[in-house]
Amino acid sequence: MVQTLRYLDAAEVDQLSTLSEVLVRINRSAAVVKGGRRFSFSALSVSGNRSGVVGLGYGKGRQVPSAIEKAARDARKHLMHVPLTADGTISHTVEAAFGATRVRLVPASPGTGIIAGAGVRAVCEMAGIKNILTKVYGSTNPINVVKAALQALSELRTPEDVAALRGVALITAAPAASTSATTPNPETK
């Protein structure tokens, strides 16, 4: 199921207080001209507020600083919401592809941290995910890896969304077993 990404509009972006950027990759390319080689640079940047909003930016320029600035500006235009759980992870396993890259994101228990490569790690950190397991299959091109990770995050659904789609009420988890069942009986020594 191919899903289009829903980006935040300008009014929602203005309401965000703190956006930070992480530079994932700078690439240099050369055009051979009469006098030698002319270099140009492209930058891949991930922007987010570390609490459920993340976006990708790509910029090109003749100088590195202008490419980075364009990438950061592009990332602010392509922000999206990511549903997170209270534990700082995702609600279910999700897999998505972009080009020849497949990315699998698996929720992890508290204390695990972010187990990911550079591209997926940048996306997860900027989204505010604290515990996640990831795996990249196929091509490891950073642009495709980041786009596949964002596609996977866009396919996440909260338990409330699934309950609404099924037309059922969401039942909270039952309380833990009573402590008397787990406490050893002192008379059985």
Side-chain angles (χ1 to χ4, degrees):
M1 174 175 84
V2 176
Q3 213 174 0
T4 59
L5 301 176
R6 189 194 110 35
Y7 298 118
L8 301 179
D9 60 4
E12 291 174 311
V13 172
D14 291 339
Q15 292 175 357
L16 296 175
S17 57
T18 58
L19 279 179
S20 55
E21 288 100 20
V22 168
L23 187 64
V24 177
R25 172 81 182 222
I26 294 178
N27 188 35
R28 185 184 77 173
S29 59
V32 178
V33 294
K34 185 170 134 185
R37 288 190 286 253
R38 181 170 46 204
F39 296 108
S40 63
F41 299 90
S42 63
L44 178 66
S45 173
V46 176
S47 180
N49 68 350
R50 298 181 191 268
S51 61
V53 175
V54 67
L56 157 77
Y58 189 69
K60 298 178 184 180
R62 295 287 305 273
Q63 303 295 326
V64 174
S66 65
I68 293 171
E69 182 184 326
K70 289 177 184 179
R73 198 174 325 127
D74 189 46
R76 284 191 293 273
K77 290 180 187 173
H78 296 100
L79 293 172
M80 61 179 237
H81 279 292
V82 176
L84 301 177
T85 65
D87 296 336
T89 187
I90 56 178
S91 54
H92 58 88
T93 301
V94 65
E95 187 171 323
F98 187 90
T101 301
R102 267 186 21 238
V103 172
R104 174 177 286 161
L105 306 176
V106 180
S109 59
T112 303
I114 300 174
I115 310 298
V120 181
R121 176 180 295 276
V123 171
C124 292
E125 285 177 353
M126 289 295 113
I129 299 171
K130 295 175 182 61
N131 302 298
I132 193 166
L133 304 170
T134 66
K135 179 65 182 159
V136 175
Y137 300 101
S139 171
T140 57
N141 176 344
I143 297 171
N144 288 351
V145 168
V146 170
K147 287 184 177 183
L150 285 172
Q151 180 68 38
L153 290 176
S154 73
E155 293 175 6
L156 284 174
R157 296 187 296 184
T158 63
E160 292 81 16
D161 293 340
V162 175
L165 284 173
R166 294 180 182 175
V168 297
L170 187 63
I171 300 172
T172 58
S178 66
T179 56
S180 62
T182 58
T183 310
N185 189 352
E187 297 174 5
T188 58
K189 285 187 176 180

